[in-house]
Amino acid sequence: MAVRRSQRPAGTPNCRGSRERGIEQLGGTLTEAMSLSASDLFDQAEAYWLSAVALDAADVQTELASQPVRNLYYVAIELYLKAYLRLHGHTLDELDGKFRNDFRRIRRRCEAFGLKFAGSDKRTLEYFIHTPIYVRTKFSTT
């Protein structure tokens, strides 16, 4: 049984962090996690997107302040696209396996289901495809 937004206990955050931690917070099991629906993935994407918007609006003035914002947007975009694939029948194992951080494969599969990318959306996906993940999500190290 999928855990829907209306079934979440009061005060439980919408953003789950990791799937296992999120299911644990909701009092569920890993078996229930395997039944996450496309709308559950979409909800997670929304949480990341809205967090990026809020963090960006905070206008933090440090050297690498934009990096966490970009990382949140990156995860949100990946989750939105995976929600689309989930809606079209892909399992969570597939999404976490062969589609994990593989934007070329994600894009091709979404296009096969009729999703069109143009303009800045297309340029963003091209950036994700041609830029290694460690560059896209780099963090400062000391």
Side-chain angles (χ1 to χ4, degrees), residues 12 16 24 50 68 71 83 86 102 108 121 133 141:
T12 301
R16 294 181 179 104
E24 184 179 294
L50 294 172
N71 289 346
R86 183 79 170 120
D102 188 344
R108 285 182 183 157
D121 296 337
I133 190 168
T141 58

Side-chain angles (χ1 to χ4, degrees), residues 19 33-38 41 81-100 109 113:
R19 184 171 46 210
M34 298 311 290
S35 66
L36 286 174
S37 68
L41 290 173
L81 294 174
K82 285 182 175 182
Y84 184 78
L85 293 177
R86 183 79 170 120
L87 182 67
H88 286 85
H90 281 281
T91 67
L92 291 174
D93 284 340
E94 290 173 322
L95 298 178
D96 282 345
K98 68 181 181 181
F99 291 103
R100 180 177 219 132
R109 195 65 181 141
F113 287 121

Side-chain angles (χ1 to χ4, degrees), residues 41-89:
L41 290 173
F42 185 88
D43 287 346
Q44 288 181 9
E46 283 285 287
Y48 277 94
W49 188 271
L50 294 172
S51 296
V53 169
L55 184 57
D56 193 31
D59 198 29
V60 176
Q61 298 296 314
T62 64
E63 184 179 339
L64 297 172
S66 65
Q67 190 62 44
V69 174
R70 284 195 305 269
N71 289 346
L72 289 167
Y73 280 128
Y74 163 78
V75 172
I77 292 167
E78 183 177 21
L79 286 169
Y80 281 128
L81 294 174
K82 285 182 175 182
Y84 184 78
L85 293 177
R86 183 79 170 120
L87 182 67
H88 286 85

